[in-house]
Amino acid sequence: MKMYLIPANSKKSQLILGFFTPFDLVVFGIGAIITIILLLVIRSSDLTVMILILLPLLISTLLVMPVVYYHNVMQLLTNIIMFFINRRRYYWKGWCINEE
């Protein structure tokens, strides 16, 4: 019997910089662009306004941040939402060989 051992990080080589998918970089890039535009348009020295201006970048960074056992926070939130949206009662079909 041939048994192959697949390393745990075999999928990392398919990611950009070993962490990001193209969609992750798009989310982060949109947050960064919105923050840069807001910094150029709104000139303020108030701390609360500056925190509000930096909020798109902070949220996008939080979404693409890696989490243990998941790819990132965005995938974790997707799995949580799908758990609550999907059907919870599963019906047993019996011991069927062929499903028709």
Side-chain angles (χ1 to χ4, degrees), residues 32-47:
I33 289 171
I34 291 172
T35 301
I36 290 170
I37 290 172
L38 288 175
L39 283 172
L40 292 174
V41 171
I42 301 172
R43 305 237 181 224
S44 177
S45 61
D46 189 19
L47 182 64

Side-chain angles (χ1 to χ4, degrees), residues 31-68:
I33 289 171
I34 291 172
T35 301
I36 290 170
I37 290 172
L38 288 175
L39 283 172
L40 292 174
V41 171
I42 301 172
R43 305 237 181 224
S44 177
S45 61
D46 189 19
L47 182 64
T48 55
V49 174
M50 290 305 291
I51 291 174
L52 289 175
I53 290 173
L54 292 174
L55 204 57
L57 182 64
L58 295 175
I59 290 173
S60 64
T61 304
L62 180 75
L63 286 175
V64 299
M65 188 174 67
V67 180
V68 180

Side-chain angles (χ1 to χ4, degrees), residues 10-16 20 22:
S10 64
K11 293 283 186 177
K12 283 184 89 170
S13 64
Q14 298 175 353
L15 300 175
I16 300 169
F20 304 108

